[in-house]
Amino acid sequence: MSTMKDFLMTNCSRVLMYEGLPGYGKSQVLLEIEYLASRHENHRAVAIILTKISFHQNFYTIQILMANVLGLDTCKHYKERQTNLQNKVKTLLDEKFHCLLNDIFHVQFPVSREMSRMSKIRKQKQLEALFLKILEQRVKQERIIFIIDEAQFVDGTSWAFIEKLIRSMPIFIVMSLSPFPDVPCAAANAIMRNRNTTYITLGTMQPQEIRDKVCVDLSVSSIPRELDSYLVEGSCGIPYYCEELLKNLDHHKVLLFQQAETEQKTNVTWNNLFKHSVKPTEDMHFYTSMPEGRKEVCYLASGVRLKNLSPPASLKEISLVQLDSMSLSHQMLVRCAAIIGLTFTTELLFEILPCWNMKMMIKALATLVESNVFDCFRSSKELQLALKKNVTTFEVHYRSLALKFKEGLIHGEEEELREKEGEVIECCILRFCRPIMQKTAYELWLKDHKKVLHLKCARFLEESAHRCNHCRNTDFIPYHHFIVDIRLNTLDIDTVKRMVKSQGFKTDEEEVIFSKSQLPRKYKLPENLSITEIREKILQFFDNVILKMRSSPDDIIPLESCQCEELLQIVILPLAQHFLALEENNKALYYFLELASAYLILGDNYNAYIYLGEGERLLKSLTNENSWNQNFEYATFYSLKGEVCFNMGQMVLAKKMLRKALKLLNKIFPSNLLTLTFQMHVEKNRLSHFMSQHTQEGSLPGKKLAQLYLQASCFSLLWKIYSLNFFFHYKYYGRLAAMMEMNTSLETQNDFQIIKAFLDFSLYHHLAGYQGVWFKYEILVMEQLLNLPLKGETIEIIAYTADTLGHIKFLTGHLDLAIELGSRAHRMWSLLRNPNKYQMVLCRLSKPLFLKTRYKHLIQVLGWLWDLSVTEEHIFSKAFFYYVCLDIMLYSGFFYRTFEECLEFIQHNEDNRILRFQSGLLLGFYSCIAVWYARLQEWDNFYTFSKKAKNLVSRRTPTVLYYEGISRYMEGQVLHLQKQIEEQAENAQDSGVELLKALETLVAQNTTGPVFYPRLYHLMAYVCILMGDGHSCDFFLNTALELSEIQGNLLEKCWLRMSKEWWYSASDLTGDQWIKIVLSLPSWDKVVSGKVTLQDVQKNKFLMRVNILDNPF
């Protein structure tokens, strides 16, 4: 539109060119421009569409344009055209030259002698001169806009005339074109290089834009998430593809519509655990035709699986035409790749290609990449990044030679192909540019041929279908492969030994050596050491480990970082799909459960949910109901379901799932007090027996270990669930679950599992208030570590222990020790090259540093976290980074990133599947933003974000993130209470009582330790003083100060002292105090450079306003 405005204002020619592949919406853009032009008076839009044949007809484009300008397109007969022409040109052209128009406009003026003697070139010049005169006359009367669709078919003579035209008079030309099939002519090049030409390359629609378009096209307020994913992947952002896919679904009656229901609380079940609908951007409702009160939602017909649907015929035809244009060898390669799936590796493709050598394959792939059949990627991270965002529309500055045409000779093309071959060699992962092509090529195979190729793929992939070398090639579900017979390939003795070692077993010879050298374990910490000496000894041990890691890295540090996430996409998921195609349902189920477990480890609850859904369908199809193998798979299924529910804060559902899993594993958890008492007695005896044993009697069978590990996982979650319940008898269930986890782990005889159980048992006793017991188990952990050889898995056990101990110390308020342990854990995990663990330790370390106001170290940690989020494309790390930045602004008195940047991040990423289905982080984010707006008294914005936070409060989990989030949420509610009291609202008294009760409950439940108490007591004190209860206010304020002093929580301590001073002073605090602070808030750069002192920064605290004398209560 800016180009059109320039044309109207400057009165000089403008050319607007849109380039894009077929289906990108070029014609639609031109229609919109034609419509906009027709709405203005004194504007004449002349629109034409060209075809392939137009290119071979001389001057055809100008002929059609001029016929429209002269009004000949509406004439029914040549005589009418002739009369019309005669009237229009009689003042511009001598009558004896009228016959010049015969051929071009199909009329029959008499041919004069002068014309018969004229050469072809001269005739053309005469004709062009006439057209220029006609147009010059017209542009004086009205603005002319030429609109040319499919302009790549403009003939050379017409291009030359258009070039003269834009130099001669003010005219606006809009063109759409596909990329030129050959080198464009000189005139076309000149037009594109013209300073008055705007050349725009159309990109594809972004995922959010596809969602918006579909909601507008269907006139609905939301669409199913499955439909959204199907259209985003299937259309590749091409509008035409999106429309055809939607038409196909509508034709097969897949899309159903119903009135949108009002939001109300419903019982949470597994099926409605995740919201299955997605909404368009907020401003899209202006474009829907549906009235506000009668919104409809779209949903899918039951039993329909979109990914199994055949593509629409119109899109298959496009793919078939492209396939037919390829050589037979290239067709074969594309068809073989289609068997593997949308994404494939060159290694697997080479395995299934019949009678090809590597050189042939690379050359063919390079050609197909050049032809946009495939895209190639160096790593799965690069692939995932490409899938997140489609190519956007952009302007090409042709005059700066940014647009380069294929001007080259064959030598240049060969050079380009060689470069592409080099690129393919470097890239190990390829993907179909269009999923429709993959489906179309797949459907060309006969059923028997498909089966043979799927079998080949499965045999090849199963060799790598486990965790990566960094993680010692183990199963994602411990010892899972011992339960299910999944192997297609026969095993030789070396392979068996390798698998045995990867799971921590030992061969007979190794077992003898092990028993002689390591058993019994002797080292114990001296009993007469003080707590300070034990602390120093533990820290010294971790320092020695770090020193050894740095001094002999070849023996200890892995050569490569963890590749498990990449293996999920290129090995395990394809393998599951190959087994589905082969109807090997038990093997497919095995790998879907592995996928679900892996995504839970990676923190992706939504993907885990999706693959558990796939597993559930397969479980229903299995017939051997009483087999042990199937019982174990069912137990694994319910255990993973329970973990997903736990992570989503649905504890009732999680408990139900975990109990089911334990029942299937022949480990029934008590459901009444009588059986609870009996089981408690049994487990105490078992624990006493295990703890008195000092030797291992040998390795357990793999099936037994798989069962024990799964039981321990269930018990670990169960005690955390019971700890959340306020009823007194639930603590006994929690104690039993913790004890059963301990006993089960001891039975495994695995060092790592035992240490994890000791740490869990210690945390349980911390939170339950058993002061003397937790210390014993932390000592046992250290003694266990001191007896292990420093190699392989032991280093990971030590790093895990340092991190977990640091986390426990943070929860219990030992902030200095938490920093000491966290810093050492950070150094170890940075050397061990596990991005997932590394980001976790950085997130945990930032919190005690923040409370201790050790800002230099904190900013350093945030810098590492940012680098990790960028390098690994890790959304959780980036979200946590911005979350801490918000905390810094709210409580520390300076900013590291601006509020606007933090707000923009969450607005762009709140629908991200990792963040949306991760309990705690979004709650904290929304609550921090709500607090910011409440302090500024921007209440409309406060209500928006407070409502979003409130929807997440019910997803209660015993995690630091959740309790940080809930404390921020309660702060927002307290500030809102102050507003209600100032306005003397009717329900202010009730709101205050309710709020105080909620804060007291959070303290009483004690589910994550005392580190959050100072903030909660601070808020309770504020509520009390707002309600005129000065005595309670003093008690809570002094308690908060005392706890801050004990914990060394300098951040809260400083704020508490300032609050106390303000609340009991005669000073009058103005309402705009926080606005003044925000306007003068210094950046970290100013603080670190010394321009602003830390003493001044500490004064930038928000002081909660109160005036007891004016209190209405």
Side-chain angles (χ1 to χ4, degrees):
M1 290 308 296
S2 62
T3 308
M4 186 179 281
K5 285 177 184 175
D6 289 345
F7 166 65
L8 295 172
M9 293 173 66
T10 59
N11 203 35
C12 65
S13 292
R14 285 283 185 273
V15 180
L16 180 56
M17 302 179 81
Y18 292 100
E19 184 201 281
L21 293 169
Y24 274 47
K26 305 183 296 295
S27 301
Q28 190 63 40
V29 171
L30 296 194
L31 282 172
E32 291 293 326
I33 291 173
E34 184 182 4
Y35 170 73
L36 291 171
S38 65
R39 291 175 63 189
H40 290 80
E41 289 184 15
N42 207 30
H43 281 59
R44 173 82 182 278
V46 177
I48 63 168
I49 303 174
L50 302 179
T51 60
K52 199 169 185 178
I53 200 168
S54 309
F55 182 73
H56 302 287
Q57 292 181 305
N58 191 48
F59 216 45
Y60 179 79
T61 303
I62 302 305
Q63 171 190 340
I64 301 301
L65 284 172
M66 292 307 298
N68 277 269
V69 169
L70 294 166
L72 305 181
D73 54 320
T74 57
C75 297
K76 296 179 181 179
H77 193 265
Y78 87 92
K79 286 185 178 178
E80 188 180 347
R81 280 200 304 276
Q82 192 163 310
T83 306
N84 197 339
L85 268 174
Q86 198 166 11
N87 293 334
K88 297 266 175 80
V89 302
K90 63 184 177 183
T91 58
L92 302 173
L93 187 67
D94 197 320
E95 191 174 344
K96 61 186 176 184
F97 294 120
H98 283 188
C99 58
L100 187 66
L101 305 172
N102 285 355
D103 292 337
I104 198 163
F105 292 132
H106 305 290
V107 289
Q108 296 179 6
F109 287 111
V111 180
S112 64
R113 183 179 298 176
E114 289 83 348
M115 274 297 301
S116 62
R117 292 175 181 173
M118 202 177 287
S119 68
K120 208 170 187 180
I121 295 172
R122 196 173 164 204
K123 281 181 183 177
Q124 181 66 30
K125 286 182 178 177
Q126 282 279 84
L127 191 62
E128 288 181 11
L130 172 64
F131 286 169
L132 286 172
K133 285 179 185 176
I134 293 169
L135 291 170
E136 195 173 347
Q137 195 177 64
R138 285 302 174 97
V139 296
K140 290 176 182 176
Q141 300 168 7
E142 59 188 357
R143 298 279 187 175
I144 293 183
I145 301 167
F146 284 160
I147 299 173
I148 307 171
D149 200 358
E150 301 291 350
Q152 73 273 15
F153 298 129
V154 174
D155 58 280
T157 315
S158 295
W159 277 119
F161 181 80
I162 292 170
E163 187 193 0
K164 287 180 194 172
L165 183 62
I166 60 177
R167 283 195 275 109
S168 307
M169 65 193 74
I171 197 160
F172 189 34
I173 301 175
V174 187
M175 300 183 186
S176 75
L177 65 153
S178 295
F180 286 100
D182 298 305
V183 179
C185 66
N189 266 327
I191 291 170
M192 286 182 255
R193 284 196 175 93
N194 192 298
R195 68 176 68 253
N196 293 325
T197 296
T198 302
Y199 196 101
I200 294 172
T201 298
L202 289 178
T204 50
M205 294 190 296
Q206 299 307 309
Q208 182 61 54
E209 292 169 341
I210 294 172
R211 184 184 304 170
D212 292 344
K213 173 180 167 55
V214 173
C215 288
V216 170
D217 289 349
L218 298 177
S219 294
V220 293
S221 59
S222 68
I223 58 172
R225 190 176 292 276
E226 186 184 349
L227 174 62
D228 182 48
S229 301
Y230 171 75
L231 293 174
V232 168
E233 185 181 88
S235 70
C236 302
I238 301 171
Y240 175 72
Y241 278 46
C242 185
E243 289 164 5
E244 289 300 304
L245 288 168
L246 262 183
K247 284 179 190 173
N248 187 51
L249 295 176
D250 192 44
H251 174 70
H252 288 95
K253 301 194 181 337
V254 171
L255 303 179
L256 303 176
F257 304 91
Q258 67 178 23
Q259 198 75 18
E261 296 176 1
T262 55
E263 289 188 13
Q264 54 185 3
K265 287 188 177 180
T266 55
N267 290 330
V268 178
T269 65
W270 175 254
N271 292 329
N272 66 13
L273 182 61
F274 290 82
K275 275 193 173 181
H276 290 287
S277 62
V278 291
K279 294 182 178 181
T281 45
E282 291 181 6
D283 55 350
M284 279 296 113
H285 68 273
F286 294 117
Y287 302 97
T288 57
S289 57
M290 191 66 61
E292 187 67 26
R294 294 187 54 215
K295 285 186 178 177
E296 284 192 339
V297 295
C298 172
Y299 64 101
L300 300 176
S302 62
V304 173
R305 303 197 64 202
L306 296 181
K307 67 177 185 179
N308 293 340
L309 292 177
S310 182
S314 56
L315 300 185
K316 281 168 73 173
E317 188 179 345
I318 294 170
S319 296
L320 287 170
V321 168
Q322 193 176 3
L323 272 169
D324 289 340
S325 68
M326 298 176 194
S327 66
L328 290 174
S329 60
H330 287 184
Q331 285 183 33
M332 176 56 72
L333 187 147
V334 171
R335 289 175 63 187
C336 286
I339 290 287
I340 302 172
L342 261 181
T343 305
F344 57 94
T345 62
T346 50
E347 201 178 4
L348 178 52
L349 180 62
F350 183 69
E351 183 73 17
I352 66 169
L353 277 173
C355 307
W356 281 53
N357 60 46
M358 185 60 77
K359 188 177 179 182
M360 280 174 61
M361 186 186 78
I362 295 297
K363 193 168 183 179
L365 284 174
T367 305
L368 292 167
V369 169
E370 183 69 23
S371 306
N372 293 319
V373 176
F374 300 132
D375 282 326
C376 58
F377 306 93
R378 287 178 176 79
S379 67
S380 64
K381 284 189 180 65
E382 192 180 318
L383 166 63
Q384 293 306 316
L385 184 62
L387 292 177
K388 283 178 187 174
K389 196 167 185 180
N390 295 327
V391 178
T392 54
T393 297
F394 60 94
E395 182 178 344
V396 178
H397 300 285
Y398 190 72
R399 284 175 64 78
S400 63
L401 302 179
L403 182 65
K404 293 182 181 176
F405 291 100
K406 299 170 188 174
E407 298 176 354
L409 301 168
I410 297 171
H411 172 73
E413 291 177 0
E414 287 178 355
E415 187 66 34
E416 194 174 335
L417 189 59
R418 274 198 295 272
E419 286 177 13
K420 194 62 74 176
E421 284 175 23
E423 193 179 328
V424 169
I425 291 168
E426 286 179 22
C427 298
C428 57
I429 300 173
L430 291 104
R431 182 180 170 88
F432 279 88
C433 294
R434 306 275 183 269
I436 303 295
M437 172 65 86
Q438 185 263 332
K439 284 195 172 184
T440 305
Y442 182 81
E443 290 177 2
L444 295 175
W445 288 100
L446 296 173
K447 187 177 180 180
D448 290 344
H449 291 166
K450 281 183 192 175
K451 190 170 182 179
V452 170
L453 288 170
H454 279 302
L455 195 58
K456 266 189 177 183
C457 292
R459 286 188 186 280
F460 180 84
L461 288 172
E462 72 172 0
E463 298 297 330
S464 307
H466 43 64
R467 299 183 84 158
C468 65
N469 294 332
H470 177 281
C471 301
R472 290 170 300 285
N473 304 104
T474 54
D475 301 327
F476 287 101
I477 299 166
Y479 302 95
H480 193 190
H481 74 270
F482 285 95
I483 301 294
V484 183
D485 179 21
I486 53 158
R487 299 285 299 182
L488 292 170
N489 297 329
T490 55
L491 300 178
D492 55 36
I493 193 65
D494 292 331
T495 308
V496 172
K497 283 185 177 180
R498 191 167 65 248
M499 288 174 64
V500 165
K501 285 182 183 178
S502 75
Q503 296 293 340
F505 288 102
K506 296 166 180 65
T507 58
D508 293 340
E509 299 87 350
E510 288 172 315
E511 192 64 49
V512 173
I513 295 166
F514 177 80
S515 60
K516 287 177 182 176
S517 63
Q518 293 185 25
L519 297 175
R521 293 177 175 164
K522 297 175 181 177
Y523 190 89
K524 286 194 172 185
L525 289 170
E527 293 183 7
N528 57 351
L529 293 178
S530 66
I531 290 177
T532 307
E533 287 172 326
I534 291 172
R535 168 181 166 155
E536 291 306 316
K537 204 166 185 65
I538 290 171
L539 294 177
Q540 185 62 47
F541 168 72
F542 289 130
D543 288 335
N544 291 337
V545 171
I546 294 165
L547 191 63
K548 181 158 185 184
M549 288 174 75
R550 287 175 174 166
S551 59
S552 54
D554 295 340
D555 300 334
I556 297 173
I557 297 174
L559 297 173
E560 58 182 19
S561 61
C562 178
Q563 305 293 319
C564 289
E565 191 170 359
E566 186 169 318
L567 286 171
L568 296 179
Q569 289 299 316
I570 64 174
V571 175
I572 298 180
L573 177 57
L575 184 54
Q577 290 166 340
H578 289 306
F579 279 129
L580 272 180
L582 291 166
E583 298 179 353
E584 293 275 2
N585 288 352
N586 61 328
K587 294 180 174 65
L589 171 64
Y590 172 94
Y591 286 110
F592 279 124
L593 292 177
E594 286 282 300
L595 278 164
S597 177
Y599 277 111
L600 281 171
I601 292 167
L602 295 170
D604 189 342
N605 293 303
Y606 183 72
N607 261 341
Y609 176 84
I610 292 297
Y611 293 122
L612 283 171
E614 297 286 348
E616 189 165 20
R617 292 186 189 95
L618 292 170
L619 276 169
K620 289 174 182 175
S621 71
L622 299 179
T623 53
N624 195 6
E625 294 181 4
N626 296 320
S627 72
W628 158 244
N629 295 359
Q630 197 164 318
N631 273 353
F632 183 85
E633 296 291 71
Y634 263 110
T636 303
F637 172 68
Y638 284 117
S639 168
L640 295 172
K641 266 188 168 184
E643 192 173 345
V644 171
C645 296
F646 178 87
N647 293 342
M648 290 291 291
Q650 302 301 333
M651 297 304 160
V652 173
L653 200 54
K655 185 168 63 176
K656 180 182 173 183
M657 298 295 178
L658 293 167
R659 280 178 167 277
K660 274 188 179 181
L662 287 168
K663 187 177 180 181
L664 288 161
L665 293 168
N666 300 320
K667 203 82 172 179
I668 298 173
F669 195 75
S671 56
N672 58 63
L673 290 174
L674 183 64
T675 54
L676 172 70
T677 307
F678 175 75
Q679 191 68 40
M680 186 77 81
H681 178 71
V682 171
E683 294 301 326
K684 278 181 181 177
N685 289 337
R686 284 186 76 209
L687 182 59
S688 176
H689 170 70
F690 281 128
M691 294 301 289
S692 65
Q693 284 187 325
H694 297 289
T695 60
Q696 293 177 323
E697 298 176 357
S699 296
L700 297 171
K703 286 189 176 183
K704 180 64 175 174
L705 282 169
Q707 184 181 10
L708 290 172
Y709 270 78
L710 196 56
Q711 287 174 1
S713 173
C714 293
F715 289 132
S716 177
L717 293 174
L718 269 178
W719 77 255
K720 294 181 179 80
I721 292 170
Y722 281 113
S723 72
L724 283 169
N725 203 297
F726 200 53
F727 294 110
F728 82 96
H729 63 279
Y730 271 78
K731 69 178 181 179
Y732 297 111
Y733 285 103
R735 180 168 174 74
L736 175 63
M739 199 179 295
M740 292 179 84
E741 180 200 356
M742 187 75 177
N743 289 335
T744 307
S745 298
L746 285 165
E747 195 177 343
T748 65
Q749 302 172 16
N750 179 277
D751 294 314
F752 202 169
Q753 188 63 26
I754 291 168
I755 287 168
K756 284 167 76 175
F758 280 161
L759 290 168
D760 250 15
F761 211 45
S762 172
L763 177 59
Y764 165 77
H765 286 99
H766 262 301
L767 300 179
Y770 298 104
Q771 294 300 324
V773 184
W774 60 261
F775 185 67
K776 169 188 170 184
Y777 287 99
E778 288 183 7
I779 295 297
L780 283 172
V781 167
M782 295 313 302
E783 287 178 347
Q784 193 93 354
L785 289 177
L786 287 163
N787 284 289
L788 294 175
L790 279 180
K791 58 182 180 181
E793 189 181 19
T794 305
I795 297 296
E796 285 194 19
I797 299 174
I798 294 167
Y800 172 85
T801 302
D803 180 29
T804 308
L805 280 174
H807 181 58
I808 292 171
K809 297 309 165 193
F810 171 72
L811 290 174
T812 51
H814 299 93
L815 300 180
D816 288 314
L817 187 53
I819 292 170
E820 294 283 0
L821 290 163
S823 299
R824 286 161 174 80
H826 161 253
R827 291 201 288 274
M828 283 188 267
W829 281 120
S830 65
L831 292 168
L832 287 170
R833 302 182 184 181
N834 188 322
N836 208 42
K837 300 286 186 185
Y838 183 56
Q839 67 87 14
M840 185 187 293
V841 78
L842 287 175
C843 293
R844 285 178 170 178
L845 180 56
S846 66
K847 286 302 164 182
L849 290 171
F850 176 63
L851 296 180
K852 291 293 292 183
T853 66
R854 288 172 58 173
Y855 295 129
K856 284 187 179 178
H857 195 175
L858 172 63
I859 299 300
Q860 189 180 27
V861 168
L862 288 180
W864 292 329
L865 195 60
W866 177 263
D867 292 342
L868 177 73
S869 72
V870 172
T871 307
E872 299 291 330
E873 285 297 320
H874 203 281
I875 188 66
F876 184 87
S877 302
K878 193 170 281 189
F880 196 90
F881 170 87
Y882 280 114
Y883 178 42
V884 177
C885 289
L886 279 171
D887 264 356
I888 288 170
M889 275 185 286
L890 287 169
Y891 307 109
S892 296
F894 64 92
F895 69 88
Y896 185 52
R897 289 288 195 274
T898 63
F899 175 77
E900 289 72 24
E901 186 179 338
C902 298
L903 182 62
E904 185 183 5
F905 170 80
I906 198 58
Q907 287 174 336
H908 279 89
N909 294 282
E910 60 187 340
D911 280 331
N912 179 277
R913 69 169 192 270
I914 303 284
L915 302 183
R916 190 174 179 80
F917 304 118
Q918 200 283 335
S919 184
L921 190 57
L922 272 187
L923 170 62
F925 233 121
Y926 290 145
S927 299
C928 281
I929 295 170
V931 168
W932 177 273
Y933 284 126
R935 290 180 179 186
L936 292 172
Q937 300 185 50
E938 295 181 15
W939 295 108
D940 288 341
N941 287 327
F942 166 81
Y943 293 136
T944 300
F945 285 96
S946 185
K947 184 183 177 183
K948 287 182 177 184
K950 187 179 180 180
N951 292 334
L952 299 172
V953 168
S954 61
R955 282 166 38 179
R956 189 162 158 252
T957 51
T959 60
V960 169
L961 274 175
Y962 178 82
Y963 277 90
E964 276 190 339
I966 200 71
S967 68
R968 306 295 188 270
Y969 174 75
M970 297 306 288
E971 183 178 339
Q973 298 311 301
V974 168
L975 293 175
H976 185 250
L977 173 67
Q978 181 228 333
K979 173 181 180 286
Q980 289 179 299
I981 289 173
E982 279 186 353
E983 295 173 353
Q984 299 188 18
E986 288 182 13
N987 62 339
Q989 178 83 30
D990 295 337
S991 296
V993 171
E994 190 178 325
L995 199 52
L996 192 60
K997 193 179 291 184
L999 287 163
E1000 287 172 342
T1001 302
L1002 281 172
V1003 172
Q1005 284 177 342
N1006 191 29
T1007 49
T1008 52
V1011 72
F1012 300 105
Y1013 290 177
R1015 174 63 51 84
L1016 295 173
Y1017 279 122
H1018 191 174
L1019 294 174
M1020 289 159 73
Y1022 185 48
V1023 172
C1024 288
I1025 202 169
L1026 282 174
M1027 299 181 70
D1029 186 354
H1031 178 73
S1032 296
C1033 174
D1034 283 344
F1035 171 75
F1036 289 134
L1037 206 56
N1038 290 330
T1039 305
L1041 275 165
E1042 187 180 338
L1043 284 170
S1044 297
E1045 188 71 45
I1046 293 167
Q1047 295 176 8
N1049 186 342
L1050 301 180
L1051 186 81
E1052 199 71 33
K1053 183 180 172 182
C1054 175
W1055 195 16
L1056 282 161
R1057 283 178 173 172
M1058 290 178 72
S1059 293
K1060 191 171 185 179
E1061 182 184 335
W1062 272 105
W1063 294 351
Y1064 295 106
S1065 71
S1067 303
D1068 183 28
L1069 190 65
T1070 57
D1072 60 353
Q1073 172 252 357
W1074 180 246
I1075 298 175
K1076 290 176 180 176
I1077 289 175
V1078 168
L1079 292 174
S1080 61
L1081 209 62
S1083 67
W1084 170 248
D1085 290 337
K1086 285 186 177 178
V1087 176
V1088 80
S1089 65
K1091 292 179 181 176
V1092 180
T1093 64
L1094 281 173
Q1095 288 75 18
D1096 291 335
V1097 164
Q1098 286 180 346
K1099 294 174 184 175
N1100 292 333
K1101 300 280 186 190
F1102 174 76
L1103 298 173
M1104 294 180 270
R1105 291 182 296 123
V1106 67
N1107 192 331
I1108 298 173
L1109 297 176
D1110 297 335
N1111 195 291
F1113 304 116

